[in-house]
Amino acid sequence: MYVVDEEKENREIVNSYRRLLRKAKPFLKDDDARQIRKAFKLAVKAHEGMRRKSGEPYIYHPLAVAEICVEEIGLGTTSIIAALLHDVVEDTDYSLDDIRHSVGERVARIIDGLTKISGVFEYGSSGQAENFRKMLLTLSDDVRVILIKLADRLHNMRTLDSMPQHKQLKIASETIFLYAPLAHRLGLYAIKSELEDLYLKYSEADVYKEIVDKISATKESRDRFIKRFIRPIQQALNEHGFKFTIKGRTKSVYSILSKMRKKDIPFEEVYDLFAIRIIIDTPLENEKAACWQVYSIVTDFYNPNPDRLRDWISTPKANGYESLHTTVMSREGRWVEVQIRTKRMDEIAEKGFAAHWKYKDSPGQRGKGLEAWIASVRSMLESNDSSAIDFVDEFRTNLYQDEVFVFTPNGDLKTLPYGATALDFAFEVHTEVGLTCIGAKVNQKLVPLNYRLQNGDQVEILTSSKQKPSEDWLRFVVSSKARTGIKHGLRDEIRRTADLGKEIVARKLKQLKVKMTTETYNQLTDFFGFKSTTDFLYQVGKGQIEPRELKRFKEALEAKKPVRRARAIADVKSLHKEFEAKGRSEDILFIGEDMDIVDYKMAQCCNPIPGDDVFGFVTVSDGIKIHRTSCPNAPELLSSHGHRVVKAKWASRHEKSFIADLEIIGTDRVGLINDVTRIISGEHNVNMRSITVDTDTGIFEGIISLYIDNQTSLKELIKQLENVEGVVKVTRKKRTFTHTTIEQAKK
Ligand code: MN
């Protein structure tokens, strides 16, 4: 229980205030100290009489947050003042104007930001997601808001003991969900690790304690091992005249547990419980050479694992992290990670962003990664109109990911999340480039859109003005920029097509003398069996519903019996009945015209296009599918399941787009691809969907996927392509996608 002793408390308040000033002293200039004092007095007065859950005076908290800002993040006077006053507007009678009046506009703006984002984030609640979005918006305004918020959260986590258990869990969950990733992304490694460990302490107390106990039980033998390991290195570094310190760093409890769970191993088998960190003191201009010299010394004594060399000095991580990591074999036969870095790099790694500011005069790329990140967050926020929850999800997926570094054709470096594809890169260049991307050249070789980029790839994007975004793309892109871009593109596309559909419908209804009201559109949507009016209009715009079909709607309307469009049928018998009812003498399905009798779809295994010889197959649960007679699944379907086969023919003049794959074989030459794509783009009824080419051995082998209107256009195109110099043979490829097996075709 907490016993109030005001005298002791006042002493403690004064002590921690003095400690704060002492730690801030190296940064202070002019009348900074006076300003801080003023803020401190204001905070004391504002929080007077208030106590924390623990029973302590409230002012302990802002003082501690300010101290974290100085000591652990390296922030200066403005932040100290803002930290001291961060809870004043929210929790006391003082207003933002009072703050502005007393400590000025700049601090007031930061506190305004902090007040706006206060309130805890709760996953699944849109109000709180919106809060988080606001918080990120402040990134573009003043990143100190986020940093102070993190300091605030860290202190609350350190003092979580006094909270009731259900609140502990809630606060801890928010911390692991958002604040730890955020700290990671801002390069605040020390804070990130502590937040993660504290999360574990409250979410899985037993597991946490067990690991902590094991770490301390093995400490002695570990220390002995480290001592033996670094002895020869120390000696050699001294001989070479290096100024340095070497530390053995134990992994955080959280990352040890993650490793145990990921690899499904006990504590005893986590081989990299610790890493050796060599920090050298060297002038800026020598940094890189010096680090590699140390690397050379280390590997003189111990053999390195070539697969585990990480050079974040030549290319720092996007959050600014710089270091050289290697894993070497110790004499005891176990792998040891060695991290080599300079004092400056170490400070940036521990304190992150603020340390960047301190070194911002340094040459080269430093700090650029973070600025680029903040800029990308800003553009994401500005372009985002999806729901706040979606947004948070997408943002989070980008937080922890590792990165892949690739180059533009001009040699500019781009950083993308690990697993990014050529299409992600295209969207990174520009949304418009992404939306019209048909493929890419990576290191001079053609690759498809979903090619996964490797470190060091040089990427050139190929575009076509006829390309349109596809829902498929969402299945392989990983960056939120690409996802957002595709979703926007699809939405725009749907809107444009629906607008077109609306015009068509309006024209036809006028012709039919049907009055156009919202009610009419609702009835139409219902009549054709769609969930939303937009879906219906989109299908009209796409030509999937013919204007003349609207006539049936009018008939139904006049007959006052709103019948629905035909549904999928389950067997040939019921199809026969339908045909009979329509007075047909023969059971032939006319593709393109019989939509009112029965619903059918094109089979994905062979994608028939008008003109192909086809048949219908009544599947078990998905209505009729139209196959080419040359489909690889056709023999079995026709022979073993003849009772489910329906004759089908193309109704004339009914033209829609279908997918066809062309295989092109020839001898490779410069410009061949350009000639091929030019011809395809020139052909009126053809749209290129994707292109994949392999030119490994001087032989050119490509597969071009097309949207095509009919057989005649396709034949014309093949003829033209075969006339291209170098092309030997063009054939329509049988689509034998693995995702449609014979089993699936029957379903
Ligand atoms: Mn607070």
Side-chain angles (χ1 to χ4, degrees), residues 62-82:
L63 273 167
V65 173
E67 196 176 323
I68 292 170
C69 286
V70 177
E71 195 178 23
E72 294 173 59
I73 311 184
L75 293 170
T77 305
T78 309
S79 309
I80 294 172
I81 295 172

Side-chain angles (χ1 to χ4, degrees), residues 58 61 65 86-87 152 156:
Y58 196 88
H61 168 65
V65 173
H86 81 270
D87 278 333
D152 182 32
N156 285 334

Side-chain angles (χ1 to χ4, degrees), residues 109 229 232 241 395 525 556 599 700:
R109 281 243 303 277
F229 179 86
F395 183 81
T525 304
D599 203 5
F700 174 99

